[in-house]
Amino acid sequence: MLGYFNKLFRREPSSRTAKERLHLVLVHDRANLSPQILEALKEDLIEVISKYMEFDVDSIQVNLDSDESTVALVANIPIREVKRQLRHANS
Amino acid sequence: MAGRAIVITSGKGGVGKTTTTANLGTGLALLGRKVVLIDADIGLRNLDVVMGLENRIVYDLVQVVEGQCKPHAALIRDKRVENLHLLPAAQTREKDAIRPEQMVELVETLKEDFDYILIDSPAGIEHGFRNAISGADSAIIVTTPEVSAVRDADRIIGLVESHGLHDPYLIVNRIRPEMVQRGDMLSIDDVLDILRIKLLGIVPDDQEIVVSTNRGEPVVFDRRTRSGQAYHNICRRIEGEDVPFMTMDTGFMQRLGRLLGIGGRRRNAN
Ligand SMILES: Nc1ncnc2c1ncn2[C@@H]1O[C@H](COP(=O)(O)OP(=O)(O)OP(=O)(O)O)[C@@H](O)[C@H]1O
Ligand SMILES: [Mg+2]
């Protein structure tokens, strides 16, 4: 009987909670990139983005940002100018 | 002869590396292979007692790499099964008493005479772990279906791969089918979904393991036990056979029910 009530009020099977928590903690663990890798990523980003806009290379910040439920790659790239040909291509 | 060197490792301690090493080694020898087990857990040797060979130790791993004796002089021959040997760890030395290059050299030497060299790794990711993996050609990762063990397994998988041991295999130990069924234990699918490596075997949580460890007789000697059967199956898979994974049916009533053809929904734990 007690078991029945426990089941009734249980939020979800504990294995599902375990799996969700594991997923999350592993995103954090795996995202624990070394500074070298983060630097390499930054350089690649610069290469790609500079095709489209101009920016101050020194002010770029690339970080991993995490809260309770997600981990995000956050790149802060202050734009100086969007390249002229792109602006025109769209208007 | 060109033997295969396989390291058994886990990250988290106490998940069953030593039990696995003892049973796979014994199981492979029972299949007619020449096997040597290396206890790489220096300072915390255990494989000798799990194998029931603790009274026959003369030399140890550190003495071998230091050149105090030939590798073969230090091997303890198991009298219960042919072609099974143990190279015990040193008990009174530090983990840094040997270096990875020395392990590589030792394993290469042993490969000339054995089909399998199984290396029991210490827990952790430090010096001892690095020694244990350095001579190996491939790795078996042991985990239990628990959050902390799976997390550490993930870390270890990354580490063994970065050391050039690609495509490690997974053994999920201490599964309790009835808990999986009621949703209170990660299933094999859950664990595989998270770790994404190849499954080598599933070993149930089994009291027989405690009994067999008490006696110093690996449970694989008795294939009527569920865990013994599981280890036997794993050995056959290591030998390249395609052995289906055990169905993790539980409870006597359920088994009886199925025998009689009633109810008995087949639950597959893999
Ligand atoms: N499938 C199982 N069922 C029941 N008990 C088990 C099972 N596997 C291992 N055990 C028990 O769990 C304990 C730890 O096992 P073992 O010593 O093999 O782990 P380990 O990973 O080598 O530990 P360490 O990290 O300390 O070297 C032992 O008491 C063993 O008997
Ligand atoms: Mg151990």
Side-chain angles (χ1 to χ4, degrees):
Chain A
M1 204 55 188
L2 209 77
Y4 174 75
F5 277 113
N6 275 342
K7 263 212 181 91
L8 201 66
F9 292 111
R10 191 112 45 108
R11 287 153 307 190
E12 62 173 3
S14 67
S15 63
R16 196 178 312 157
T17 315
K19 196 175 175 189
E20 285 161 4
R21 291 177 59 225
L22 259 170
H23 262 304
L24 226 60
V25 77
L26 289 182
V27 171
H28 283 252
D29 286 2
R30 291 173 186 168
N32 204 346
L33 301 177
S34 67
Q36 294 97 300
I37 292 181
L38 221 50
E39 196 54 37
L41 172 68
K42 194 162 137 187
E43 269 158 32
D44 285 352
L45 275 177
I46 292 172
E47 201 185 307
V48 174
I49 298 170
S50 50
K51 281 199 249 172
Y52 302 92
M53 42 199 79
E54 274 173 33
F55 48 83
D56 183 3
V57 173
D58 293 329
S59 62
I60 290 181
Q61 282 179 350
V62 178
N63 286 308
L64 286 167
D65 204 21
S66 52
D67 63 29
E68 248 171 55
S69 59
T70 50
V71 177
L73 179 70
V74 179
N76 192 338
I77 306 171
I79 299 168
R80 221 186 263 149
E81 193 172 7
V82 176
K83 291 207 168 154
R84 186 161 289 119
Q85 64 272 30
L86 289 166
R87 239 169 19 199
H88 289 173
N90 258 344
S91 59
Chain B
M1 193 181 284
R4 281 169 72 187
I6 308 173
V7 62
I8 289 95
T9 188
S10 70
K12 184 170 155 65
V15 298
K17 295 176 291 296
T18 301
T19 308
T20 304
T21 309
N23 280 288
L24 297 190
T26 307
L28 286 165
L30 286 169
L31 290 176
R33 295 294 165 188
K34 292 191 79 176
V35 182
V36 60
L37 310 177
I38 302 181
D39 188 347
D41 202 346
I42 296 170
L44 287 170
R45 91 173 158 214
N46 262 328
L47 191 53
D48 55 338
V49 286
V50 175
M51 292 292 297
L53 299 173
E54 69 275 16
N55 291 327
R56 297 179 40 214
I57 296 177
V58 182
Y59 296 110
D60 61 49
L61 175 61
V62 174
Q63 288 171 309
V64 170
V65 300
E66 285 179 347
Q68 294 180 37
C69 66
K70 289 252 180 286
H72 285 267
L75 299 185
I76 306 168
R77 195 178 66 81
D78 195 309
K79 292 173 180 162
R80 295 161 296 194
V81 43
E82 226 166 315
N83 292 321
L84 179 60
H85 297 80
L86 169 71
L87 178 53
Q91 183 67 322
T92 54
R93 300 293 295 267
E94 299 289 321
K95 292 211 184 290
D96 55 7
I98 57 175
R99 294 189 311 273
E101 315 86 77
Q102 294 173 312
M103 266 311 267
V104 174
E105 200 188 315
L106 170 66
V107 171
E108 287 307 315
T109 310
L110 291 171
K111 273 185 188 174
E112 291 166 17
D113 296 316
F114 291 94
D115 297 306
Y116 289 100
I117 296 107
L118 302 187
I119 305 158
D120 182 15
S121 156
I125 55 175
E126 276 99 41
H127 200 90
F129 160 74
R130 280 167 213 280
N131 277 332
I133 63 172
S134 55
D137 306 309
S138 51
I140 294 175
I141 314 290
V142 182
T143 188
T144 56
E146 287 169 296
V147 177
S148 52
V150 175
R151 179 199 199 171
D152 290 356
D154 188 77
R155 181 88 203 281
I156 283 293
I157 291 165
L159 284 175
V160 299
E161 286 186 331
S162 74
H163 278 80
L165 300 179
H166 298 293
D167 301 323
Y169 280 94
L170 183 70
I171 291 178
V172 183
N173 188 24
R174 308 199 74 158
I175 196 103
R176 294 177 62 175
E178 75 287 357
M179 288 192 74
V180 175
Q181 275 183 1
R182 65 167 191 263
D184 273 333
M185 182 176 269
L186 289 167
S187 69
I188 303 295
D189 277 340
D190 290 337
V191 176
L192 289 178
D193 196 38
I194 289 161
L195 295 179
R196 298 189 179 280
I197 60 173
K198 275 174 283 177
L199 181 65
L200 182 62
I202 307 161
V203 181
D205 191 75
D206 189 356
Q207 299 185 1
E208 294 295 333
I209 296 214
V210 180
V211 177
S212 77
T213 307
N214 286 343
R215 297 213 165 99
E217 292 166 5
V219 74
V220 72
F221 275 120
D222 186 357
R223 268 202 260 144
R224 287 165 307 179
T225 60
R226 294 197 307 150
S227 48
Q229 184 65 46
Y231 286 121
H232 174 71
N233 287 348
I234 295 171
C235 291
R236 287 168 59 201
R237 287 187 201 110
I238 292 175
E239 283 279 274
E241 255 185 85
D242 192 8
V243 187
F245 288 100
M246 265 178 149
T247 52
M248 286 280 149
D249 318 71
T250 45
F252 175 71
M253 284 313 285
Q254 244 172 319
R255 249 174 307 180
L256 187 70
R258 228 191 19 262
L259 260 170
L260 302 172
I262 42 171
R265 191 160 49 100
R266 261 189 114 83
R267 277 287 300 219
N268 223 323
N270 58 65

